[in-house]
Structure formats: C-alpha cells, structure tokens
Amino acid sequence: MNSSNVNFSLLQSQPNIPPEFFWPENDLTPSEGDLNLPIIDMSGFLNGDEAETQRAAKAVREACMTHGTFLVINHGFKSGLAEKALHISSLFFGLPKDEKLKAYRTPGNISGYTAGHSQRFSSNLPWNETLTVAFKKGPPQVVEDFLTSKLGDRRQEIGQVFQEFSEAMNHLNLELMELLGISMGLKDRTYFRRFFEDGNAIFRCNYYPPCKQPEKALGVGPHNDPTAITVLLQDDVVGLEVFASGKWQTVRPRPGALVVNVGDTFMALSNGNYKSCFHRAVVNMEKVRRSLVYFSCPREDKLIIPPPELVEGGETSRKYPDFTWHQLQRFTQSGFRVDNTTLEKFSSWIASDSSKN
C-alpha cells in the first residue's frame, strides 16, 4: 500500500479498516477526561504591558515544565484568517484524488500530499491525509509558489491563503519565542526570538476522515514533535490528546484559541527544563476533523546550545550534546519513527560518532 493508492473514500465504504491501520493496544488507551490547560492572553504582551507579560510568562513556565503545552488567545491574527484557512484545507482535501496527487510528496522531500504516510511505513498507518509545505520567510512566497506549481493557476487561491496563514504563524512564532525567553528569566529576553529569526518552518494541513473502527486506529500515533515549538489550529471536532499526569487527556477545541506544544528541539535548547509535549490524534466514526499546524525549526546549520544561564553547572550539566536541526531531521527521516524517546535515541546516536553531520 502506498499513498498514491490509499483512497479513504473507498475505505470508508468498507465494514472494516485494513489491518495496516491497526495500532497496538498500549497506544490506544482511552482518554481519561479533559486536560485543563492555561489560556494565555497574548494581548498584554503584544501591547507592551509588563505586568500582563509577567503574568503570561509565569503561566507559560508552569505549563512547559509540567507537560509542554498551553493555549493562546488574542494572538494577533487578522480577523477571519483562521476560518478561511480551515475552509481552504477542506477545499483541497475535497479535490478529486488525481488532482491531489499532482502535489504528491516524493520520497526524501518534506513538501507534498500524502495519504496514510504509507510511502514510509507499512504498519501502524495513521488514518489521515496531509498536505505539507516547507516554509521560509520570503520573498519568494515559497508556500504559494510550491502549491501553484503543483496544482495549477486555477487553484491559486489555495496557495495564496496558505501563504498568508504561514506568514501569520511565523510572526506569532517569533512573539512566542520572546515570551518563552521571558518565562525562563533570561537576561536577554529576545534570545530565542533572535535564535529563530533566520529559521525555517513546516506548514501542514491534517485531514482526518471518519473511521469505521476508531477504537483500533489513530489519526496520528503517540509522539513528540522533533521540531522546536508547534502552533496548532483545531477545528471544532475533538481529537487532540496529550499524555499528562500518567494518562491520556483531551485538549478540547476552544474558539479563537491556538494550541502551542513544546518540541524536542526546544526541550534541548532549554537544557531539559521545558518538557516536550507527548501527544496523539484520535479519530471518530461520524465527523471529519481538520487541523492546521506550524512547526518551527532553527536554521539547518545552527548549533542547538542552551543559553549560558540554563547551564549553571558548566558543560557537565548539559543534558544533550550539541547538534544541528539538519542532523535531527535526517535522523527522523531515515526510517526512525518519532515517539517519546526520539531525543534520547538521537543523543546517543550522535554522541556515538562525532563525525555525523
């Protein structure tokens, strides 16, 4: 089975899902209630209110040291942009299969369309379709250019809206990086903002079709994002779950809110002070679920080294070795399936041979 012949419309008409989409029982443990996440109002920080900024930073610190996730509201997005981007994602995934395959993700590339990620794996396949595009602040307009080159001029609106959405996410990402620096008490509160200003990102649309056997399948399996931080827009359908306090808990969609998750790269950059968020996406029998995701990454060749004040005991107190995003990305794309042990395994892998680059 590969992405070019996975057709979820046909699979939905069958009484059972193919066994390639079954997940192990330990990955399917049901959620035990809702996760009570802090809701960070960004307006005070964005308007320069120091008291509100410190209040927001304190809540961010507590969340990041506990489970690595929080919600943000009043984040500065242009009115209607989030809703428009979700609508455009439905437009894309509603296209005929042969039209979506014009943007097919070829092996070794980040950008493109996939169904079930079955070009990489043969079992425990995710019950989803994705459209992924590598992003870097332009010019050029990389998201719009890629999608228009694949889908043609008559689908230009798809690229235009996703370009605008990615740029808004990039702007918010840098604001969040500064707030994270404040939350850690860094002398230079702009340290992380500057660290990521010349960075890269990955924009992704997720589409989770209804599933006849949701108790056996997952939209995305349990994992930690290998990137720095992830900013996620959910629609109004429940599906995101976070592992916290020894159990899976649901992150319910909240109108106007975005979810922010700490990833492995930022956990390393914080010297382990902030926790990478362990999460998954579940599916259901009746409703389509959509999400739009922005994964921030440093420049490929930049060394991931914590700020000096986070390494109080000198080099011996370093939790992780020096590495670059290029090295970690290559590790995760080489057949290793990301999970909650990725950073530990990668650290051992890179420490075993300092010539890896």
Side-chain angles (χ1 to χ4, degrees):
M1 186 181 288
N2 60 56
S3 289
S4 60
N5 63 27
V6 173
N7 188 324
F8 283 107
S9 295
L10 292 177
L11 292 179
Q12 286 171 260
S13 66
Q14 298 173 8
N16 297 303
I17 65 174
E20 292 93 335
F21 290 94
F22 290 180
W23 283 75
E25 284 189 18
N26 61 311
D27 290 334
L28 296 166
T29 308
S31 169
E32 298 183 38
D34 295 347
L35 182 59
N36 185 23
L37 289 183
I39 301 168
I40 310 301
D41 187 335
M42 294 286 289
S43 58
F45 167 69
L46 295 175
N47 292 325
D49 184 322
E50 189 60 24
E52 288 297 319
T53 294
Q54 292 300 328
R55 187 175 293 113
K58 182 175 183 291
V60 166
R61 179 178 179 84
E62 290 173 357
C64 290
M65 294 186 75
T66 306
H67 43 58
T69 185
F70 55 92
L71 302 178
V72 294
I73 59 171
N74 296 324
H75 36 66
F77 274 29
K78 188 173 79 175
S79 177
L81 176 59
E83 295 79 5
K84 189 174 184 181
L86 281 171
H87 169 72
I88 290 295
S89 74
S90 294
L91 176 73
F92 172 79
F93 290 112
L95 293 175
K97 181 76 173 181
D98 59 348
E99 196 165 351
K100 288 185 285 191
L101 286 175
K102 290 179 181 178
Y104 177 64
R105 176 178 167 180
T106 55
N109 287 316
I110 290 291
S111 299
Y113 164 78
T114 68
H117 283 289
S118 48
Q119 82 275 36
R120 288 191 64 198
F121 304 108
S122 59
S123 63
N124 300 345
L125 298 183
W127 190 262
N128 72 13
E129 297 180 50
T130 67
L131 177 65
T132 305
V133 187
F135 172 81
K136 188 171 179 64
K137 187 176 180 181
Q141 313 287 62
V142 290
V143 174
E144 181 177 348
D145 290 351
F146 173 82
L147 291 172
T148 302
S149 72
K150 298 296 184 183
L151 301 174
D153 289 342
R154 76 188 186 101
R155 302 294 183 193
Q156 193 170 13
E157 184 187 18
I158 295 175
Q160 289 172 339
V161 172
F162 286 159
Q163 177 72 40
E164 183 181 5
F165 186 79
S166 298
E167 289 174 358
M169 281 286 207
N170 179 65
H171 179 79
L172 174 61
N173 173 67
L174 293 177
E175 301 287 1
L176 288 167
M177 287 299 178
E178 183 168 339
L179 185 58
L180 285 164
I182 296 168
S183 75
M184 287 186 173
L186 299 186
K187 294 174 186 174
D188 177 5
R189 63 199 290 167
T190 66
Y191 182 94
F192 293 128
R193 176 193 279 269
R194 290 186 297 100
F195 192 93
F196 286 92
E197 272 180 340
D198 60 354
N200 304 300
I202 300 165
F203 167 68
R204 176 170 295 156
C205 308
N206 292 313
Y207 180 87
Y208 305 98
C211 178
K212 288 283 178 63
Q213 295 177 285
E215 73 284 357
K216 293 184 178 294
L218 287 170
V220 179
H223 69 288
N224 298 62
D225 295 330
T227 44
I229 65 170
T230 302
V231 184
L232 169 77
L233 169 66
Q234 303 191 80
D235 66 7
D236 58 356
V237 179
V238 169
L240 175 63
E241 297 182 352
V242 167
F243 194 79
S245 301
K247 58 189 177 183
W248 287 106
Q249 300 183 61
T250 300
V251 177
R252 291 204 169 268
R254 177 187 169 94
L258 299 170
V259 182
V260 181
N261 290 342
V262 174
D264 285 346
T265 294
F266 198 87
M267 182 163 73
L269 198 55
S270 75
N271 200 34
N273 286 290
Y274 281 7
K275 308 304 179 191
S276 184
C277 177
F278 190 39
H279 59 288
R280 68 183 183 184
V282 299
V283 289
N284 70 84
M285 291 184 72
E286 292 88 23
K287 294 183 178 180
V288 166
R289 178 173 175 264
R290 303 158 299 161
S291 66
L292 303 179
V293 195
Y294 182 93
F295 304 95
S296 66
C297 321
R299 198 181 68 219
E300 284 194 339
D301 61 348
K302 186 170 283 189
L303 279 177
I304 310 302
I305 301 175
E309 54 258 64
L310 299 184
V311 193
E312 293 179 352
E315 285 301 304
T316 56
S317 66
R318 285 281 301 276
K319 301 271 181 67
Y320 307 100
D322 292 355
F323 66 90
T324 64
W325 167 241
H326 172 74
Q327 290 171 314
L328 179 54
Q329 186 178 36
R330 187 161 63 89
F331 180 73
T332 62
Q333 295 293 315
S334 64
F336 180 85
R337 195 164 198 154
V338 294
D339 57 20
N340 61 338
T341 65
T342 302
L343 190 55
E344 298 299 334
K345 289 177 180 175
F346 169 72
S347 297
S348 298
W349 175 80
I350 204 164
S352 68
D353 184 355
S354 59
S355 68
K356 293 184 173 77
N357 53 49

Tab-separated table of all heavy atoms in Angstrom, residues 96-145:
chain	number	residue	atom	x	y	z
A	96	PRO	N	-10.697	15.918	-6.332
A	96	PRO	CA	-10.553	14.529	-6.798
A	96	PRO	C	-9.159	14.001	-6.487
A	96	PRO	O	-8.174	14.758	-6.478
A	96	PRO	CB	-10.789	14.640	-8.309
A	96	PRO	CG	-11.577	15.899	-8.492
A	96	PRO	CD	-11.108	16.833	-7.410
A	97	LYS	N	-9.074	12.697	-6.252
A	97	LYS	CA	-7.804	12.073	-5.865
A	97	LYS	C	-6.688	12.394	-6.863
A	97	LYS	O	-5.565	12.725	-6.471
A	97	LYS	CB	-7.998	10.550	-5.766
A	97	LYS	CG	-6.759	9.768	-5.355
A	97	LYS	CD	-6.468	9.895	-3.881
A	97	LYS	CE	-5.330	8.979	-3.459
A	97	LYS	NZ	-5.031	9.068	-2.036
A	98	ASP	N	-6.990	12.329	-8.157
A	98	ASP	CA	-5.928	12.551	-9.151
A	98	ASP	C	-5.421	13.991	-9.119
A	98	ASP	O	-4.254	14.259	-9.425
A	98	ASP	CB	-6.395	12.168	-10.559
A	98	ASP	CG	-7.614	12.953	-11.016
A	98	ASP	OD1	-8.240	13.632	-10.189
A	98	ASP	OD2	-7.946	12.874	-12.216
A	99	GLU	N	-6.273	14.922	-8.704
A	99	GLU	CA	-5.817	16.312	-8.611
A	99	GLU	C	-4.928	16.509	-7.386
A	99	GLU	O	-3.906	17.202	-7.450
A	99	GLU	CB	-7.021	17.253	-8.587
A	99	GLU	CG	-6.637	18.675	-8.882
A	99	GLU	CD	-7.814	19.577	-9.229
A	99	GLU	OE1	-8.937	19.079	-9.410
A	99	GLU	OE2	-7.586	20.802	-9.282
A	100	LYS	N	-5.306	15.888	-6.262
A	100	LYS	CA	-4.447	15.977	-5.066
A	100	LYS	C	-3.082	15.352	-5.339
A	100	LYS	O	-2.059	15.838	-4.843
A	100	LYS	CB	-5.127	15.285	-3.880
A	100	LYS	CG	-6.314	16.042	-3.312
A	100	LYS	CD	-6.881	15.389	-2.065
A	100	LYS	CE	-7.698	14.145	-2.359
A	100	LYS	NZ	-8.450	13.688	-1.172
A	101	LEU	N	-3.077	14.280	-6.125
A	101	LEU	CA	-1.811	13.586	-6.396
A	101	LEU	C	-0.854	14.409	-7.255
A	101	LEU	O	0.327	14.064	-7.373
A	101	LEU	CB	-2.078	12.234	-7.052
A	101	LEU	CG	-2.623	11.154	-6.101
A	101	LEU	CD1	-2.972	9.888	-6.880
A	101	LEU	CD2	-1.622	10.835	-5.002
A	102	LYS	N	-1.314	15.503	-7.832
A	102	LYS	CA	-0.394	16.410	-8.544
A	102	LYS	C	0.630	16.979	-7.568
A	102	LYS	O	1.735	17.355	-7.957
A	102	LYS	CB	-1.167	17.546	-9.202
A	102	LYS	CG	-2.034	17.127	-10.380
A	102	LYS	CD	-2.791	18.330	-10.945
A	102	LYS	CE	-3.679	17.932	-12.112
A	102	LYS	NZ	-4.460	19.099	-12.626
A	103	ALA	N	0.233	17.059	-6.291
A	103	ALA	CA	1.138	17.568	-5.253
A	103	ALA	C	1.728	16.433	-4.428
A	103	ALA	O	2.180	16.650	-3.300
A	103	ALA	CB	0.390	18.548	-4.347
A	104	TYR	N	1.763	15.223	-4.958
A	104	TYR	CA	2.238	14.040	-4.226
A	104	TYR	C	3.631	14.263	-3.650
A	104	TYR	O	4.525	14.780	-4.323
A	104	TYR	CB	2.239	12.828	-5.156
A	104	TYR	CG	2.785	11.557	-4.548
A	104	TYR	CD1	2.139	10.948	-3.480
A	104	TYR	CD2	3.952	10.964	-5.038
A	104	TYR	CE1	2.633	9.786	-2.914
A	104	TYR	CE2	4.451	9.787	-4.480
A	104	TYR	CZ	3.789	9.212	-3.415
A	104	TYR	OH	4.286	8.055	-2.859
A	105	ARG	N	3.798	13.870	-2.407
A	105	ARG	CA	5.096	14.012	-1.730
A	105	ARG	C	6.013	12.872	-2.137
A	105	ARG	O	5.770	11.711	-1.806
A	105	ARG	CB	4.879	14.013	-0.216
A	105	ARG	CG	6.161	14.060	0.598
A	105	ARG	CD	5.794	14.100	2.073
A	105	ARG	NE	6.930	13.850	2.936
A	105	ARG	CZ	6.858	13.834	4.261
A	105	ARG	NH1	5.696	14.059	4.855
A	105	ARG	NH2	7.925	13.591	4.988
A	106	THR	N	7.063	13.204	-2.845
A	106	THR	CA	8.005	12.176	-3.297
A	106	THR	C	8.975	11.824	-2.177
A	106	THR	O	9.265	12.663	-1.311
A	106	THR	CB	8.788	12.661	-4.530
A	106	THR	OG1	9.421	13.914	-4.215
A	106	THR	CG2	7.852	12.850	-5.722
A	107	PRO	N	9.466	10.585	-2.152
A	107	PRO	CA	10.383	10.152	-1.087
A	107	PRO	C	11.576	11.088	-0.944
A	107	PRO	O	12.165	11.518	-1.933
A	107	PRO	CB	10.817	8.753	-1.539
A	107	PRO	CG	9.663	8.265	-2.368
A	107	PRO	CD	9.147	9.481	-3.080
A	108	GLY	N	11.906	11.413	0.297
A	108	GLY	CA	13.048	12.283	0.567
A	108	GLY	C	12.707	13.757	0.642
A	108	GLY	O	13.557	14.570	1.000
A	109	ASN	N	11.461	14.112	0.292
A	109	ASN	CA	11.053	15.509	0.335
A	109	ASN	C	10.105	15.757	1.499
A	109	ASN	O	9.364	14.873	1.914
A	109	ASN	CB	10.353	15.908	-0.976
A	109	ASN	CG	11.340	16.032	-2.126
A	109	ASN	OD1	12.409	16.605	-1.970
A	109	ASN	ND2	10.993	15.485	-3.267
A	110	ILE	N	10.121	16.983	2.000
A	110	ILE	CA	9.210	17.391	3.061
A	110	ILE	C	7.854	17.764	2.478
A	110	ILE	O	6.799	17.429	3.019
A	110	ILE	CB	9.793	18.594	3.843
A	110	ILE	CG1	11.007	18.160	4.679
A	110	ILE	CG2	8.735	19.226	4.738
A	110	ILE	CD1	10.666	17.253	5.838
A	111	SER	N	7.870	18.492	1.366
A	111	SER	CA	6.655	19.090	0.840
A	111	SER	C	5.852	18.123	-0.023
A	111	SER	O	6.415	17.369	-0.813
A	111	SER	CB	6.994	20.339	0.023
A	111	SER	OG	7.632	21.313	0.821
A	112	GLY	N	4.525	18.181	0.134
A	112	GLY	CA	3.645	17.411	-0.727
A	112	GLY	C	2.485	16.775	0.010
A	112	GLY	O	2.338	16.905	1.232
A	113	TYR	N	1.665	16.070	-0.754
A	113	TYR	CA	0.455	15.418	-0.255
A	113	TYR	C	0.728	13.953	0.050
A	113	TYR	O	1.438	13.272	-0.697
A	113	TYR	CB	-0.643	15.523	-1.327
A	113	TYR	CG	-1.815	14.579	-1.109
A	113	TYR	CD1	-2.795	14.871	-0.168
A	113	TYR	CD2	-1.934	13.395	-1.843
A	113	TYR	CE1	-3.869	14.011	0.045
A	113	TYR	CE2	-3.005	12.528	-1.645
A	113	TYR	CZ	-3.963	12.842	-0.697
A	113	TYR	OH	-5.019	11.990	-0.494
A	114	THR	N	0.179	13.458	1.164
A	114	THR	CA	0.261	12.031	1.473
A	114	THR	C	-1.084	11.555	2.013
A	114	THR	O	-1.874	12.342	2.536
A	114	THR	CB	1.327	11.705	2.550
A	114	THR	OG1	0.910	12.245	3.807
A	114	THR	CG2	2.689	12.246	2.185
A	115	ALA	N	-1.315	10.270	1.879
A	115	ALA	CA	-2.481	9.629	2.497
A	115	ALA	C	-1.973	8.443	3.298
A	115	ALA	O	-1.437	7.483	2.745
A	115	ALA	CB	-3.480	9.176	1.429
A	116	GLY	N	-2.084	8.526	4.611
A	116	GLY	CA	-1.646	7.433	5.464
A	116	GLY	C	-0.144	7.288	5.627
A	116	GLY	O	0.317	6.329	6.233
A	117	HIS	N	0.642	8.247	5.109
A	117	HIS	CA	2.118	8.172	5.212
A	117	HIS	C	2.642	6.793	4.801
A	117	HIS	O	3.661	6.320	5.306
A	117	HIS	CB	2.591	8.481	6.637
A	117	HIS	CG	2.576	9.945	6.953
A	117	HIS	ND1	3.453	10.833	6.403
A	117	HIS	CD2	1.753	10.675	7.759
A	117	HIS	CE1	3.186	12.048	6.865
A	117	HIS	NE2	2.157	11.974	7.676
A	118	SER	N	1.941	6.142	3.885
A	118	SER	CA	2.301	4.752	3.587
A	118	SER	C	3.478	4.628	2.624
A	118	SER	O	3.888	3.523	2.295
A	118	SER	CB	1.084	4.007	3.026
A	118	SER	OG	0.461	4.757	2.027
A	119	GLN	N	4.034	5.756	2.188
A	119	GLN	CA	5.275	5.649	1.419
A	119	GLN	C	6.461	5.424	2.339
A	119	GLN	O	7.529	5.036	1.891
A	119	GLN	CB	5.476	6.892	0.526
A	119	GLN	CG	6.083	8.110	1.228
A	119	GLN	CD	5.024	8.945	1.924
A	119	GLN	OE1	4.062	8.422	2.469
A	119	GLN	NE2	5.217	10.260	1.924
A	120	ARG	N	6.270	5.651	3.683
A	120	ARG	CA	7.370	5.486	4.638
A	120	ARG	C	7.225	4.239	5.482
A	120	ARG	O	8.221	3.650	5.894
A	120	ARG	CB	7.449	6.711	5.558
A	120	ARG	CG	7.971	7.973	4.901
A	120	ARG	CD	8.249	9.034	5.949
A	120	ARG	NE	9.309	8.617	6.868
A	120	ARG	CZ	9.514	9.169	8.051
A	120	ARG	NH1	8.737	10.138	8.471
A	120	ARG	NH2	10.486	8.745	8.825
A	121	PHE	N	5.973	3.845	5.791
A	121	PHE	CA	5.752	2.742	6.722
A	121	PHE	C	4.730	1.770	6.141
A	121	PHE	O	3.936	2.109	5.271
A	121	PHE	CB	5.268	3.278	8.070
A	121	PHE	CG	6.190	4.298	8.678
A	121	PHE	CD1	5.846	5.638	8.727
A	121	PHE	CD2	7.412	3.918	9.188
A	121	PHE	CE1	6.696	6.584	9.281
A	121	PHE	CE2	8.280	4.853	9.740
A	121	PHE	CZ	7.925	6.192	9.784
A	122	SER	N	4.746	0.542	6.655
A	122	SER	CA	3.835	-0.495	6.150
A	122	SER	C	2.846	-0.972	7.208
A	122	SER	O	1.957	-1.768	6.912
A	122	SER	CB	4.644	-1.691	5.622
A	122	SER	OG	5.457	-2.223	6.650
A	123	SER	N	2.991	-0.494	8.453
A	123	SER	CA	2.064	-0.880	9.515
A	123	SER	C	1.856	0.306	10.445
A	123	SER	O	2.585	1.301	10.369
A	123	SER	CB	2.608	-2.076	10.303
A	123	SER	OG	3.822	-1.717	10.960
A	124	ASN	N	0.848	0.215	11.331
A	124	ASN	CA	0.502	1.329	12.218
A	124	ASN	C	0.358	2.635	11.426
A	124	ASN	O	0.882	3.688	11.805
A	124	ASN	CB	1.558	1.525	13.305
A	124	ASN	CG	1.733	0.296	14.183
A	124	ASN	OD1	0.913	-0.607	14.178
A	124	ASN	ND2	2.815	0.274	14.935
A	125	LEU	N	-0.365	2.542	10.303
A	125	LEU	CA	-0.515	3.726	9.463
A	125	LEU	C	-1.503	4.707	10.104
A	125	LEU	O	-2.500	4.305	10.689
A	125	LEU	CB	-1.016	3.339	8.071
A	125	LEU	CG	-0.112	2.421	7.247
A	125	LEU	CD1	-0.712	2.203	5.862
A	125	LEU	CD2	1.291	3.008	7.119
A	126	PRO	N	-1.238	6.005	9.989
A	126	PRO	CA	-2.173	6.994	10.533
A	126	PRO	C	-3.391	7.150	9.624
A	126	PRO	O	-3.269	7.156	8.397
A	126	PRO	CB	-1.338	8.278	10.566
A	126	PRO	CG	-0.325	8.102	9.482
A	126	PRO	CD	-0.020	6.628	9.439
A	127	TRP	N	-4.552	7.280	10.238
A	127	TRP	CA	-5.799	7.449	9.482
A	127	TRP	C	-5.939	8.941	9.149
A	127	TRP	O	-6.701	9.684	9.755
A	127	TRP	CB	-6.977	6.950	10.330
A	127	TRP	CG	-8.267	6.856	9.576
A	127	TRP	CD1	-9.270	7.776	9.557
A	127	TRP	CD2	-8.717	5.779	8.744
A	127	TRP	NE1	-10.295	7.355	8.760
A	127	TRP	CE2	-9.992	6.123	8.252
A	127	TRP	CE3	-8.155	4.552	8.371
A	127	TRP	CZ2	-10.735	5.289	7.403
A	127	TRP	CZ3	-8.886	3.717	7.531
A	127	TRP	CH2	-10.147	4.088	7.060
A	128	ASN	N	-5.154	9.391	8.186
A	128	ASN	CA	-5.210	10.809	7.825
A	128	ASN	C	-4.680	11.054	6.424
A	128	ASN	O	-4.024	10.196	5.819
A	128	ASN	CB	-4.434	11.669	8.840
A	128	ASN	CG	-2.917	11.527	8.741
A	128	ASN	OD1	-2.371	10.980	7.784
A	128	ASN	ND2	-2.224	12.021	9.743
A	129	GLU	N	-4.994	12.212	5.922
A	129	GLU	CA	-4.366	12.770	4.732
A	129	GLU	C	-3.659	14.037	5.178
A	129	GLU	O	-4.142	14.748	6.077
A	129	GLU	CB	-5.400	13.104	3.653
A	129	GLU	CG	-6.168	11.916	3.111
A	129	GLU	CD	-7.188	12.306	2.040
A	129	GLU	OE1	-6.820	13.032	1.101
A	129	GLU	OE2	-8.358	11.907	2.174
A	130	THR	N	-2.519	14.321	4.579
A	130	THR	CA	-1.789	15.539	4.944
A	130	THR	C	-1.322	16.278	3.697
A	130	THR	O	-1.075	15.677	2.642
A	130	THR	CB	-0.544	15.233	5.817
A	130	THR	OG1	0.413	14.522	5.029
A	130	THR	CG2	-0.896	14.422	7.048
A	131	LEU	N	-1.209	17.580	3.831
A	131	LEU	CA	-0.553	18.425	2.835
A	131	LEU	C	0.499	19.221	3.590
A	131	LEU	O	0.170	19.979	4.508
A	131	LEU	CB	-1.542	19.359	2.151
A	131	LEU	CG	-0.927	20.338	1.134
A	131	LEU	CD1	-0.328	19.583	-0.051
A	131	LEU	CD2	-1.962	21.364	0.668
A	132	THR	N	1.760	19.041	3.228
A	132	THR	CA	2.881	19.645	3.949
A	132	THR	C	3.691	20.511	2.993
A	132	THR	O	3.944	20.109	1.850
A	132	THR	CB	3.796	18.549	4.531
A	132	THR	OG1	3.014	17.674	5.344
A	132	THR	CG2	4.925	19.145	5.355
A	133	VAL	N	4.090	21.696	3.462
A	133	VAL	CA	4.925	22.578	2.643
A	133	VAL	C	6.010	23.195	3.521
A	133	VAL	O	5.707	23.738	4.598
A	133	VAL	CB	4.106	23.707	1.975
A	133	VAL	CG1	4.993	24.483	0.997
A	133	VAL	CG2	2.890	23.162	1.240
A	134	ALA	N	7.256	23.098	3.085
A	134	ALA	CA	8.355	23.761	3.793
A	134	ALA	C	8.179	25.272	3.660
A	134	ALA	O	7.843	25.777	2.577
A	134	ALA	CB	9.697	23.332	3.201
A	135	PHE	N	8.388	25.997	4.762
A	135	PHE	CA	8.190	27.450	4.762
A	135	PHE	C	9.460	28.161	5.196
A	135	PHE	O	10.159	27.710	6.104
A	135	PHE	CB	7.052	27.829	5.722
A	135	PHE	CG	6.903	29.319	5.917
A	135	PHE	CD1	6.219	30.085	4.993
A	135	PHE	CD2	7.472	29.955	7.016
A	135	PHE	CE1	6.086	31.466	5.159
A	135	PHE	CE2	7.351	31.326	7.189
A	135	PHE	CZ	6.648	32.079	6.261
A	136	LYS	N	9.732	29.278	4.552
A	136	LYS	CA	10.767	30.203	4.995
A	136	LYS	C	10.283	31.593	4.623
A	136	LYS	O	9.701	31.785	3.554
A	136	LYS	CB	12.118	29.903	4.344
A	136	LYS	CG	13.256	30.719	4.937
A	136	LYS	CD	14.601	30.246	4.428
A	136	LYS	CE	15.746	31.074	5.012
A	136	LYS	NZ	15.863	30.938	6.476
A	137	LYS	N	10.499	32.549	5.502
A	137	LYS	CA	10.036	33.909	5.239
A	137	LYS	C	10.630	34.417	3.942
A	137	LYS	O	11.846	34.318	3.712
A	137	LYS	CB	10.399	34.830	6.406
A	137	LYS	CG	9.809	36.214	6.275
A	137	LYS	CD	10.113	37.065	7.485
A	137	LYS	CE	9.517	38.458	7.331
A	137	LYS	NZ	9.815	39.329	8.482
A	138	GLY	N	9.783	34.941	3.074
A	138	GLY	CA	10.204	35.376	1.748
A	138	GLY	C	10.479	36.858	1.673
A	138	GLY	O	10.505	37.542	2.684
A	139	PRO	N	10.643	37.382	0.444
A	139	PRO	CA	10.421	36.643	-0.807
A	139	PRO	C	11.519	35.602	-1.059
A	139	PRO	O	12.597	35.751	-0.495
A	139	PRO	CB	10.450	37.768	-1.857
A	139	PRO	CG	11.267	38.875	-1.230
A	139	PRO	CD	11.034	38.786	0.244
A	140	PRO	N	11.209	34.579	-1.882
A	140	PRO	CA	9.959	34.315	-2.599
A	140	PRO	C	8.857	33.799	-1.673
A	140	PRO	O	9.117	33.447	-0.513
A	140	PRO	CB	10.371	33.247	-3.608
A	140	PRO	CG	11.449	32.487	-2.907
A	140	PRO	CD	12.215	33.518	-2.124
A	141	GLN	N	7.636	33.712	-2.198
A	141	GLN	CA	6.482	33.204	-1.466
A	141	GLN	C	6.453	31.688	-1.625
A	141	GLN	O	5.771	31.154	-2.490
A	141	GLN	CB	5.180	33.826	-1.998
A	141	GLN	CG	5.233	35.336	-2.185
A	141	GLN	CD	5.203	36.070	-0.858
A	141	GLN	OE1	6.106	35.906	-0.038
A	141	GLN	NE2	4.188	36.864	-0.632
A	142	VAL	N	7.208	30.991	-0.776
A	142	VAL	CA	7.512	29.580	-1.037
A	142	VAL	C	6.285	28.670	-0.984
A	142	VAL	O	6.175	27.715	-1.751
A	142	VAL	CB	8.611	29.057	-0.072
A	142	VAL	CG1	9.952	29.674	-0.408
A	142	VAL	CG2	8.247	29.318	1.388
A	143	VAL	N	5.351	28.939	-0.061
A	143	VAL	CA	4.162	28.092	0.043
A	143	VAL	C	3.286	28.276	-1.187
A	143	VAL	O	2.861	27.308	-1.833
A	143	VAL	CB	3.375	28.414	1.331
A	143	VAL	CG1	2.058	27.652	1.366
A	143	VAL	CG2	4.216	28.078	2.557
A	144	GLU	N	3.010	29.535	-1.522
A	144	GLU	CA	2.176	29.827	-2.695
A	144	GLU	C	2.832	29.300	-3.970
A	144	GLU	O	2.164	28.681	-4.817
A	144	GLU	CB	1.947	31.332	-2.806
A	144	GLU	CG	1.064	31.713	-3.984
A	144	GLU	CD	0.790	33.218	-4.047
A	144	GLU	OE1	1.090	33.924	-3.064
A	144	GLU	OE2	0.268	33.667	-5.074
A	145	ASP	N	4.128	29.507	-4.117
A	145	ASP	CA	4.817	29.068	-5.336
A	145	ASP	C	4.769	27.557	-5.480
A	145	ASP	O	4.520	27.035	-6.577
A	145	ASP	CB	6.272	29.551	-5.332
A	145	ASP	CG	6.393	31.059	-5.508
A	145	ASP	OD1	5.361	31.701	-5.798
A	145	ASP	OD2	7.512	31.591	-5.322
